[in-house]
Amino acid sequence: MTIPAQPPAEADSALRLHTSSGEIQVCGDTLHLPPPNTAPVQLAPGPLAVMRALMKAQGAVLSREHLLAMLPHCGSEHALEMWVSRLRQALPDPSMVKTVVKRGYRLVV
């Protein structure tokens, strides 16, 4: 008996975002950025979840409340802020993730 193939979990599936400087792609836990940032960046689960959410928003602002609802395993605003901070630290250009005062976060695309 053969077991039908399961679709890949969202965290394992590739996510692509076309930007003015090229394509950003997440495969598994690895972020691929357009040149000149050619070295792949491995992300921890929390920062990876934030990056995936921001990529899906395609540059739109996501409120902290919305992100917490999308990332129920995050737990608190403080944890979310730590995940965003760690994401920025992992990126070659931390300004890719912008804080929009009193509104939330967005990916600069």
Side-chain angles (χ1 to χ4, degrees):
M1 174 168 103
T2 58
I3 299 172
Q6 296 290 325
E10 180 179 320
D12 295 328
S13 63
L15 178 63
R16 292 180 172 88
L17 176 63
H18 296 282
T19 71
S20 59
S21 58
E23 183 178 81
I24 298 172
Q25 179 178 339
V26 172
C27 286
D29 67 350
T30 305
L31 174 66
H32 301 274
L33 298 167
N37 307 305
T38 55
V41 178
Q42 281 198 294
L43 297 173
L48 176 64
V50 172
M51 185 65 179
R52 291 180 71 83
L54 292 173
M55 286 176 67
K56 288 178 184 175
Q58 300 180 355
V61 176
L62 295 179
S63 70
R64 287 172 183 83
E65 295 78 19
H66 183 80
L67 281 166
L68 286 169
M70 290 177 71
L71 310 169
H73 53 285
C74 182
S76 69
E77 275 197 39
H78 176 70
L80 176 62
E81 290 167 6
M82 292 305 298
W83 285 5
V84 170
S85 174
R86 289 182 184 138
L87 173 59
R88 286 180 174 140
Q89 290 171 6
L91 294 172
D93 180 7
S95 67
M96 284 180 63
V97 177
K98 181 174 175 144
T99 299
V100 181
V101 179
K102 302 212 185 251
R103 293 195 50 217
Y105 301 101
R106 75 179 193 89
L107 192 61
V108 177
V109 291

